Amino acid sequence: MKKLILLSLFFLSAGIIQAQQADLILINGNIITLKQKGDRAQAIAIKNGNILAVGSNTAILKYTGKTTRKIDLKGKTVIPGFNDVHQHPAPVYPFNKPYAVLKLDTVTSMKNLVALLKRKAAITPKGMLIRGVGYNETKLGGQPIRDSLDKASTDHPILISHVSGHLSAANSYLITHCGINETTKDPAGGLFERYKNSNKPNGICKETAASYLHKAKNIVYPPQPTPAQEMDGYRLYFNQVLASGVTSIGDAWTTPQKVNIYQKLTAQKFPTRLNLIIGVDYLDQVLSGKIPRINNDFLRISTIKVIQGNSLSGKTCWLYEPYDMINPLTGKKDYYGIPPARSQAGLDSLFLKIHSAGWQIACHSNGDREIDMVINAIENAQKVAPRPDARHRIEHCSITNQSILDRIKKDNIVPVFHCYMYELGEKMAVYGPERLKMLHPTQTAQQMGIVYALHSDAPISPYPAMIRLGSAVTRKTKEGVVIGANQCIDVEDAIKAYTYGGAYTTFEEKKKGSLLPGQFADMVVLDADPTTINPDDIMNIKINTTIVGGKIVYQAAHKK
């Protein structure tokens, strides 16, 4: 009997030892764990997709087994995988495909824009819609009104959207076929720009007015890609995202069609962790169960996206005080932005419906006057139907003040701040120096103990993680102008906001966002330490390796 007990203990002990053998060990690294500020480790052990242990080389090498793979980091820096909690993924297609949408964010002049559209028109059948996204009027030297777009083609309808996503431009062909003319009234929450001293629309359609551009008659829409082409386009997009260091994303306006695409991707074990934020237009499908609530390691559906307010970079968000700019319609500083189409009562009712059903709310809101409406609605919902730790979110949360932040802290709301000053900071001057002190107030929120996340809002700003990290730290425009210097944060705090903060936003901070035992083995190996180099150089740091669930999903090519 004694011998049997000893044998049992031996085999049990052997089983424990075997269970502790790592699948992968990284050694000789500079590992930023985020356990606490300044915490560093040399090595990390990974087993079954999770972090087994973090510590010194000596401590971690004890987890080496016969099948353990070891990687010598040779001093390279490791941080948690980035979590871009708010972006708008879209498939990537070749330029010559009729369903390919032109990317315009790098176009630097009106002449180049017209030339690019002409190239697309040359391979597009007459009468078929040509589309583009992400134009920046500052780079172009002005808005691409219908006169400019007509130079590209008068035989094709042309529709391009602004970098903010909140206004669109159309040529005369499309404007005419949409029935937009001198007698067309501005819709609630929207505006048709018009020529000076005239009621004639100039082709720039703001906010809800842009929806008119999708009501054209007698035009040919591009053919849809096949399901296989679409899936290939999404795989290409997400592989590029992984190569940039982003291991988790939030799709901030998911449609039922995209739910199906993401379910297929996860069934195929595609290695990106996906949080789907369902557009409020599909709320009935959510509440009826047609769109299911899902919570697994790679796919989550538990949040509803609401839009209450307008655009920061598009200069349409609604403010308490007028913009620091001359209103071209009046010649005075009396422009407050465009009021939201939805009233406070309507927002209260909508939020209560979502909140009472147990869903998280992620509400787009930029202007201080809009943000107060959102907080009012959240407070009303909690008053009627108290729910602890709901973590409702305000997406972008741009123009704030101390009162807004006090309410955010009291109500346990999560602000999801932009960090796109590098690309779009030049557009912020219209808000005036005082408001810029509380624009995307990361430092103030941090001092107050508010947990916040950062995001790209891609394609509004590019998703590559190091560009976004550098922008959060320096808040510099491409021209070197600092926007809201008092809100700069240090590098490790920025990393935490873009990793742990993102995980907290989606109730996953116990699973990811730090490099600690028991968490997902999602991490990025960098070719430089962002905490020790010149902050201006952070955006140039290269991603060496991306690891998701303990598996290498991206490896930079080694230079010969």
Side-chain angles (χ1 to χ4, degrees), residues 131-167:
R131 297 165 295 172
V133 297
Y135 80 81
N136 186 333
E137 81 282 7
T138 305
K139 293 179 181 178
L140 299 180
Q143 287 285 358
I145 62 175
R146 62 197 293 176
D147 307 69
S148 298
L149 298 182
D150 288 349
K151 294 176 183 177
S153 178
T154 56
D155 295 323
H156 301 81
I158 297 176
L159 171 60
I160 62 175
S161 64
H162 186 255
V163 65
S164 68
H166 285 255
L167 52 149

Side-chain angles (χ1 to χ4, degrees), residues 39-52:
D39 189 67
R40 300 290 187 271
Q42 286 181 303
I44 189 164
I46 297 166
K47 185 175 180 63
N48 295 330
N50 294 327
I51 297 171
L52 182 60

Side-chain angles (χ1 to χ4, degrees), residues 274-345:
L274 305 162
N275 279 279
L276 310 188
I277 307 171
I278 307 299
V280 72
D281 292 359
Y282 314 103
L283 180 59
D284 288 347
Q285 294 185 48
V286 168
L287 298 181
S288 69
K290 188 173 181 180
I291 296 176
R293 190 192 293 263
I294 296 175
N295 185 6
N296 63 50
D297 290 350
F298 279 90
L299 183 65
R300 296 182 77 258
I301 303 177
S302 62
T303 309
I304 304 297
K305 170 73 174 293
V306 178
I307 297 176
Q308 183 68 12
N310 297 316
S311 170
L312 183 72
S313 60
K315 308 180 187 76
T316 57
C317 62
W318 200 32
L319 306 177
Y320 283 115
E321 300 296 330
Y323 282 67
D324 190 15
M325 59 179 274
I326 300 298
N327 185 342
L329 298 178
T330 65
K332 301 176 181 179
K333 285 190 177 182
D334 60 358
Y335 174 66
Y336 291 81
I338 299 175
R342 191 184 292 108
S343 68
Q344 184 69 62

Side-chain angles (χ1 to χ4, degrees), residues 308-310 316-323 334-340 342-344 347 364-377 398-401 404 407 435:
Q308 183 68 12
N310 297 316
T316 57
C317 62
W318 200 32
L319 306 177
Y320 283 115
E321 300 296 330
Y323 282 67
D334 60 358
Y335 174 66
Y336 291 81
I338 299 175
R342 191 184 292 108
S343 68
Q344 184 69 62
L347 188 65
H364 163 110
S365 198
N366 277 301
D368 50 10
R369 206 164 176 177
E370 304 163 354
I371 293 170
D372 269 336
M373 293 181 74
V374 173
I375 297 174
N376 289 342
S398 300
I399 303 293
T400 70
N401 52 49
I404 283 173
R407 297 177 75 193
R435 276 185 294 223

Side-chain angles (χ1 to χ4, degrees), residues 415-492:
V416 179
F417 294 127
H418 256 308
C419 51
Y420 63 8
M421 297 306 178
Y422 181 68
E423 294 85 1
L424 299 175
E426 87 283 346
K427 297 181 182 298
M428 303 300 116
V430 297
Y431 297 102
E434 287 306 308
R435 276 185 294 223
L436 293 185
K437 292 177 182 177
M438 290 294 280
L439 170 66
H440 304 140
T442 47
Q443 181 61 247
T444 303
Q446 192 158 289
Q447 291 171 351
M448 293 176 64
I450 296 170
V451 180
Y452 62 91
L454 298 172
H455 71 295
S456 70
D457 203 14
I460 307 307
S461 65
Y463 54 72
M466 301 316 298
I467 299 177
R468 300 279 59 82
L469 190 70
S471 189
V473 172
T474 69
R475 295 176 69 106
K476 283 185 180 179
T477 68
K478 283 185 177 179
E479 295 73 30
V481 178
V482 179
I483 307 296
N486 61 308
Q487 297 299 343
C488 290
I489 52 177
D490 73 24
V491 180
E492 194 162 337

Side-chain angles (χ1 to χ4, degrees), residues 21-327:
Q21 291 183 354
D23 300 322
L24 174 66
I25 287 177
L26 309 180
I27 60 170
N28 295 323
N30 171 41
I31 299 170
I32 301 175
T33 69
L34 298 184
K35 179 179 181 180
Q36 58 192 27
K37 197 158 186 180
D39 189 67
R40 300 290 187 271
Q42 286 181 303
I44 189 164
I46 297 166
K47 185 175 180 63
N48 295 330
N50 294 327
I51 297 171
L52 182 60
V54 182
S56 67
N57 286 334
T58 302
I60 298 305
L61 283 171
K62 292 178 182 178
Y63 295 94
T64 304
K66 290 182 180 179
T67 60
T68 301
R69 179 184 178 187
K70 285 189 284 188
I71 296 176
D72 187 346
L73 295 169
K74 298 179 179 178
K76 287 187 172 61
T77 296
V78 181
I79 61 175
F82 287 97
N83 187 347
D84 192 351
V85 295
H86 181 128
Q87 58 167 252
H88 301 275
V92 177
Y93 299 123
F95 179 87
N96 63 349
K97 297 297 182 183
Y99 43 78
V101 178
L102 300 177
K103 303 294 188 271
L104 307 177
D105 57 305
T106 59
V107 179
T108 55
S109 71
M110 197 71 72
K111 180 180 178 182
N112 290 343
L113 174 65
V114 171
L116 179 63
L117 291 169
K118 275 186 175 180
R119 280 179 54 210
K120 187 66 174 176
I123 59 172
T124 303
K126 288 184 179 180
M128 183 176 286
L129 181 66
I130 295 171
R131 297 165 295 172
V133 297
Y135 80 81
N136 186 333
E137 81 282 7
T138 305
K139 293 179 181 178
L140 299 180
Q143 287 285 358
I145 62 175
R146 62 197 293 176
D147 307 69
S148 298
L149 298 182
D150 288 349
K151 294 176 183 177
S153 178
T154 56
D155 295 323
H156 301 81
I158 297 176
L159 171 60
I160 62 175
S161 64
H162 186 255
V163 65
S164 68
H166 285 255
L167 52 149
S168 297
N171 67 344
S172 295
Y173 189 116
L174 183 58
I175 289 286
T176 301
H177 281 73
C178 290
I180 301 170
N181 54 44
E182 289 86 345
T183 63
T184 306
K185 294 182 179 179
D186 293 337
L191 178 73
F192 294 106
E193 274 197 7
R194 302 173 193 271
Y195 290 100
K196 194 173 182 179
N197 301 321
S198 169
N199 282 328
K200 182 180 178 181
N202 69 6
I204 305 299
C205 305
K206 297 182 175 182
E207 300 297 346
T208 57
S211 66
Y212 282 56
L213 299 175
H214 299 277
K215 300 176 181 178
K217 297 178 181 178
N218 302 319
I219 71 166
V220 180
Y221 288 89
Q224 293 295 310
T226 66
Q229 289 168 331
E230 187 174 41
M231 288 298 292
D232 285 345
Y234 274 105
R235 286 191 199 93
L236 180 55
Y237 176 87
F238 284 118
N239 276 319
Q240 292 173 351
V241 169
L242 288 168
S244 82
V246 176
T247 57
S248 295
I249 69 102
D251 184 327
W253 187 271
T254 311
T255 64
Q257 178 192 9
K258 291 182 83 174
V259 170
N260 293 331
I261 289 168
Y262 290 135
Q263 286 177 319
K264 289 177 183 176
L265 282 172
T266 52
Q268 295 166 4
K269 300 190 182 304
F270 194 89
T272 296
R273 302 193 194 272
L274 305 162
N275 279 279
L276 310 188
I277 307 171
I278 307 299
V280 72
D281 292 359
Y282 314 103
L283 180 59
D284 288 347
Q285 294 185 48
V286 168
L287 298 181
S288 69
K290 188 173 181 180
I291 296 176
R293 190 192 293 263
I294 296 175
N295 185 6
N296 63 50
D297 290 350
F298 279 90
L299 183 65
R300 296 182 77 258
I301 303 177
S302 62
T303 309
I304 304 297
K305 170 73 174 293
V306 178
I307 297 176
Q308 183 68 12
N310 297 316
S311 170
L312 183 72
S313 60
K315 308 180 187 76
T316 57
C317 62
W318 200 32
L319 306 177
Y320 283 115
E321 300 296 330
Y323 282 67
D324 190 15
M325 59 179 274
I326 300 298
N327 185 342

